[in-house]
Amino acid sequence: MSCLFCRIISGEIPSTPVYSDERVYAFADINPQAPLHVLVVPKRHIATLNDLGESDDGIVGEMVRRAAVIAREHGHGDGGYRTVFNCNADAGQTVFHVHLHLLAGRRLGWPPG
Ligand code: 5GP
Ligand code: ZN
């Protein structure tokens, strides 16, 4: 198993858990870009957004809703937060296992770099 996030999900590589259920894992980003920076991933390997099929609509919905719950639990529901999927090189995707970034706790610039 060569995928970094699959190894994190299996526990082979340690991470700081934020949430876990049968289908979704959320953990702290190792190089946080905001006071709260969490990655929400499907436990099943999917490389990029381009690899999503119709049957993945449910898992993507769970990931987005989970990010919103985590943001609210950390007190950022009203102040605001950002969720980002990077896909492939031009967007800066470096780990090829779909992940939703949740960023909060500071004013985030727009447009992004
Ligand atoms: P991408 O650039 O692919 O959208 O985001 C990958 C994210 O994974 C980056 O924010 C990076 O800091 C994070 N990351 C990379 N390696 C590790 C790791 O070993 N552990 C954790 N917790 N995060 C990682
Ligand atoms: Zn994977």
Side-chain angles (χ1 to χ4, degrees):
M1 187 164 52
S2 60
C3 170
L4 176 65
F5 286 174
C6 282
R7 294 167 74 190
I8 284 177
I9 291 160
S10 75
E12 180 192 337
I13 294 175
S15 61
T16 302
V18 175
Y19 175 84
S20 184
D21 65 24
E22 279 180 16
R23 293 172 299 278
V24 169
Y25 184 51
F27 57 103
D29 196 293
I30 204 168
N31 182 23
Q33 300 301 310
L36 180 70
H37 188 172
V38 171
L39 301 173
V40 183
V41 303
K43 286 195 170 171
R44 183 167 50 83
H45 181 85
I46 304 168
T48 80
L49 289 189
N50 291 334
D51 301 299
L52 292 172
E54 248 180 65
S55 62
D56 296 316
D57 288 0
I59 187 68
V60 174
E62 288 182 43
M63 291 166 67
V64 174
R65 190 173 63 79
R66 184 53 50 192
V69 170
I70 293 168
R72 287 204 308 277
E73 284 175 350
H74 285 77
H76 300 296
D78 291 337
Y81 52 92
R82 183 165 297 162
T83 54
V84 178
F85 285 107
N86 292 324
C87 182
N88 280 338
D90 279 357
Q93 185 176 6
T94 59
V95 179
F96 289 86
H97 179 128
V98 165
H99 49 281
L100 180 58
H101 292 262
L102 166 62
L103 298 145
R106 68 172 173 84
R107 195 63 182 245
L108 298 161
W110 191 266

